[in-house]
Amino acid sequence: GAVVSQHPSWVICKSGTSVKIECRSLDFQATTMFWYRQFPKQSLMLMATSNEGSKATYEQGVEKDKFLINHASLTLSTLTVTSAHPEDSSFYICSAHRDGVEQYFGPGTRLTVT
Amino acid sequence: AQTVTQSQPEMSVQEAETVTLSCTYDTSESDYYLFWYKQPPSRQMILVIRQEAYKQQNATENRFSVNFQKAAKSFSLKISDSQLGDAAMYFCAYRSDFQGGSEKLVFGKGTKLTVNP
């Protein structure tokens, strides 16, 4: 149990376009979902915390208008990178939290902006 | 704000030997959780072990054990009988446990573990 999926696993987009990444909890309802960004050989950087039915809480320095997060249901959160630029290229990881302690991580999405 | 420090960017160990990864943290809270996560080349984050701060007994999971020193704010991970599959990045993480506290994890910068055959 406690499986989290992400789609797509790898996406390439052109500069200026938008791309949407989905995070789903497959076998449980997630009260909270988190979005992280990870640069090569670096740690995970929390971007935002997402609660179902409410606005996401963004970490300091994260552009809300650029990284749109929607938590439409207890099993789905989406991250949309708007007007993507090459510097947005990174590995994006989501995690889901249900009642309890652990966060369950998705497999990540590699975004390449050309 | 809480911080987590992993002072060893890289470590190496011979297969079947034992290795210890260090982690220190800073917090003013008394109730919290500590975790070790493994991130292999696939980049899937895998929970290795978890420790509740109120528990004095060190957590163990098969070949993995921790040395939790609450007063010293130290949380090291010992891997016994190292296997080639243990090669990965290891991240130490902190999570608050007080009512109304944040559920978010605070990660250290990670330690890259190499296992030599």
Side-chain angles (χ1 to χ4, degrees), chain A residues 77-97:
Chain A
S77 177
T78 59
L79 168 67
T80 301
V81 182
T82 62
S83 186
H85 289 105
E87 57 265 32
D88 298 324
S89 298
S90 191
F91 193 68
Y92 293 88
I93 304 173
C94 75
S95 70
H97 175 264

Side-chain angles (χ1 to χ4, degrees), chain B residues 18-45:
Chain B
T18 296
V19 64
T20 299
L21 308 184
S22 300
C23 172
T24 58
Y25 58 95
D26 189 29
T27 183
S28 58
E29 298 172 341
S30 58
D31 298 320
Y32 50 87
Y33 298 92
L34 296 165
F35 306 86
W36 279 98
Y37 283 92
K38 169 184 178 181
Q39 189 180 42
S42 68
R43 305 188 80 169
Q44 171 72 60
M45 294 289 284

Side-chain angles (χ1 to χ4, degrees), chain A residues 51-73:
Chain A
N51 291 292
E52 185 263 341
S54 61
K55 289 185 178 180
T57 302
Y58 291 82
E59 295 299 301
Q60 192 171 11
V62 177
E63 298 177 62
K64 302 178 183 181
D65 296 331
K66 181 163 193 61
F67 298 101
L68 299 179
I69 292 172
N70 183 274
H71 196 149
S73 74

Side-chain angles (χ1 to χ4, degrees), chain A residues 32 38 43 59 102-103 105, chain B residues 39 44 50 103-104 108:
Chain A
T32 307
Q38 187 180 32
S43 187
E59 295 299 301
E102 274 97 17
Q103 288 185 24
F105 286 84
Chain B
Q39 189 180 42
Q44 171 72 60
R50 150 189 156 185
E103 299 162 337
K104 60 185 180 183

Side-chain angles (χ1 to χ4, degrees), chain B residues 4 8 14-16 19-21 33 43 49-50 65 71 79 89 91 100:
Chain B
V4 176
Q8 306 154 315
Q14 291 296 126
E15 197 174 2
V19 64
T20 299
L21 308 184
Y33 298 92
R43 305 188 80 169
I49 201 164
R50 150 189 156 185
S65 62
I79 306 174
M89 282 290 291
F91 293 100

Side-chain angles (χ1 to χ4, degrees), chain B residues 59-80:
Chain B
T60 62
E61 286 288 341
N62 300 313
R63 298 182 295 108
F64 299 88
S65 62
V66 298
N67 183 0
F68 173 49
Q69 301 289 328
K70 190 172 184 180
K73 296 180 182 175
S74 171
F75 183 61
S76 61
L77 174 69
K78 184 171 83 172
I79 306 174
S80 303

